[in-house]
Every structure is written in structure tokens, then in C-alpha cells.
Amino acid sequence: MTQSPDPPGTTHFGYRDVPEADKARLVGEVFTSVARNYDIMNDLMSFGVHRLWKRYFVATSGVREGDRVLDLAGGTGDIAALLLPKVGAKGSVVVGDINGDMLRVGRDRLLDRGQLRGLDWSQMDAEALPFPDKSFDCVTMAFGLRNVTRKENALAEIHRVLKIGGRALVLEFSSVRAQFLKPLYDFHSFEVLPRIGKLIAGDEASYRYLAESIRKHPDQATLKAMMEAAGLARVDVRNLSAGIVAIHRGYRV
């Protein structure tokens, strides 16, 4: 997927060019709108496969007992719930999200399950993390990087807060590798998904944005190069479901 540069002072919001200063607000409005129906819509969007992607993401994360992990864009609590058994009683997970509504939904869900110990919830901007250098053994970010205005700033911040030897893990929609899948994927994204959003959540526009944001996100090779430019080393890429999503992993050395 070749990315055309945005005009100076602008960035993309789906397929629209918008002032950089406006993107965080526009994305915030989308996720405030979809917060309550986010899990239902994820199941319908991915036929439930997003749960398998997330489990595999955490299972291969290398997170160990006693680790301190930062989960960015983690408002749903899905990744945090999977990380907790890995970090154990001596570890901790900080869940960060820029959207307060998403954080409340995820926090309430895990509270209902009795998952309290080792969890902290904080509203934060991935481009300006409120932590000292070398604070975390691992930073995870699942399905959130594509919504960040200046991705290079977020990646640099992730590198900054990692301990030496720490891991950055990004799970994100990417570029489909199998040519035969692309027409089906496009039809599902642009014809089916917005209609489901309108029917289930009463919000067609937000789900059209989500589909467009996936197409505007850097492909596997581009994101790998961005992570390396941010200072991360030994960056590797693992495609899942023929590249519909990909896991990018890098280390601070």
C-alpha cells in the first residue's frame, strides 16, 4: 500500500484531508460514538476473528511474570485482561487511551469480572506519554496506531519509555497479501461494514471512517521502517490472516 504524503499542516481522517490540530477531536468523536457497541461491532466486522488475533498477539508477546506493561489504545480492556495472567501478582498493566468513554467501558467491564489487582487506567495521548524514560518492560498497542495523528511521535515515545531490552508490539490492520482476497475485503469494508454500523449502532459514518483509516495506514514495510526510524531495533513483521492484520515487534537496545 503506497502512502501519498499529506499536504503540509494537514493529515488524513479517513479519506479526507483535515488540519492536524483537528484529527484528535474527530477521532475522539468517532470512538465516543462507537464505545458502547465496540465489542459487538468488532465481532460483526471480523466474524469474531479479532479475539483470536488478540490472543495470539499476547501469547507471542514474551511478557513474563513481574513485567510492567503499558497497553496503549487499550480502552476496551481486551489486551489488558489477557496480559494480567502473564504479568502475575508481581507485575502490572497500565491501560492508556486518549478517549475517556472507551476507558470507562473497558474499566467497567473488567471491574464486573473482578479484575482489579495489577491494573491502572489513565487517559493519555500516545504522542506525549506521562512517564519517565525506561519505565516499561513492554508496550503494546492493538488497533490504535492508525488513529494517531503523528505516528512517528507515538513510536518515538514508545521507544523512550521502554527499558533497555524492552519490547514494542503493534497489532494493526495492514495490507492484504493475497490478491484474491482484496475484492472481497473491499466489499466487506465499504459496502457491508457501514450498513452493519447503521443497523446495529445507528452510526454509518463512524464505521466508514474505520474502513477508510485502515486503507490509509502504512503497510507492513512502511511501518517497519517507521519503527526503525524511531530507534527500535530488530523489528520484525508477522502477518495474520493473509496480512489483514500484522504484528510488528521491535526492541530498545
Side-chain angles (χ1 to χ4, degrees), residues 7 74 78 104 124 136 194 209 217:
D78 290 352
R104 281 187 286 275
M124 66 185 71
F136 295 95
Y209 159 74
H217 185 66

Side-chain angles (χ1 to χ4, degrees), residues 47-246:
F47 305 105
V49 178
H50 75 101
R51 298 177 186 272
L52 299 178
W53 293 332
K54 291 170 181 174
R55 287 184 192 130
Y56 185 81
F57 178 60
V58 173
T60 59
S61 65
V63 170
R64 296 168 294 191
E65 186 172 357
D67 278 356
R68 187 170 188 233
V69 182
L70 172 62
D71 180 36
L72 289 172
T76 64
D78 290 352
I79 300 298
L82 294 168
L83 285 167
L84 276 178
K86 286 193 163 289
V87 301
K90 296 180 181 179
S92 63
V93 178
V94 178
V95 183
D97 202 299
I98 198 170
N99 187 279
D101 291 293
M102 293 293 289
L103 275 172
R104 281 187 286 275
V105 168
R107 183 191 59 200
D108 291 349
R109 178 189 302 130
L110 267 60
L111 280 171
D112 289 344
R113 296 180 191 170
Q115 292 177 294
L116 305 171
R117 186 168 179 173
L119 268 180
D120 290 301
W121 302 80
S122 181
Q123 190 167 357
M124 66 185 71
D125 184 347
E127 294 185 39
L129 296 176
F131 304 106
D133 295 357
K134 303 176 184 176
S135 296
F136 295 95
D137 298 286
C138 183
V139 179
T140 59
M141 195 171 194
F143 302 118
L145 185 61
R146 73 182 188 280
N147 298 307
V148 174
T149 303
R150 291 167 287 270
K151 296 173 182 60
E152 65 279 7
N153 291 359
L155 293 170
E157 279 290 273
I158 289 170
H159 175 267
R160 180 184 67 79
V161 301
L162 279 173
K163 298 176 182 178
I164 301 299
R167 301 168 304 289
L169 298 163
V170 177
L171 172 65
E172 189 54 89
F173 289 103
S174 201
S175 180
V176 177
R177 303 286 91 181
Q179 291 296 323
F180 76 92
L181 273 181
K182 290 185 178 181
L184 294 172
Y185 186 50
D186 287 344
F187 179 79
H188 177 71
S189 298
F190 293 107
E191 300 299 331
V192 177
L193 177 55
R195 288 183 171 88
I196 293 175
K198 183 176 181 180
L199 179 66
I200 302 296
D203 186 351
E204 180 177 352
S206 291
Y207 288 93
R208 188 170 297 281
Y209 159 74
L210 292 175
E212 292 174 356
S213 71
I214 292 168
R215 300 316 190 280
K216 294 293 287 184
H217 185 66
D219 64 10
Q220 289 91 330
T222 305
L223 181 54
K224 180 176 185 289
M226 291 175 69
M227 292 177 70
E228 290 168 341
L232 293 160
R234 305 199 331 257
V235 179
D236 63 72
V237 183
R238 182 172 296 174
N239 287 315
L240 305 180
S241 300
I244 291 175
V245 301

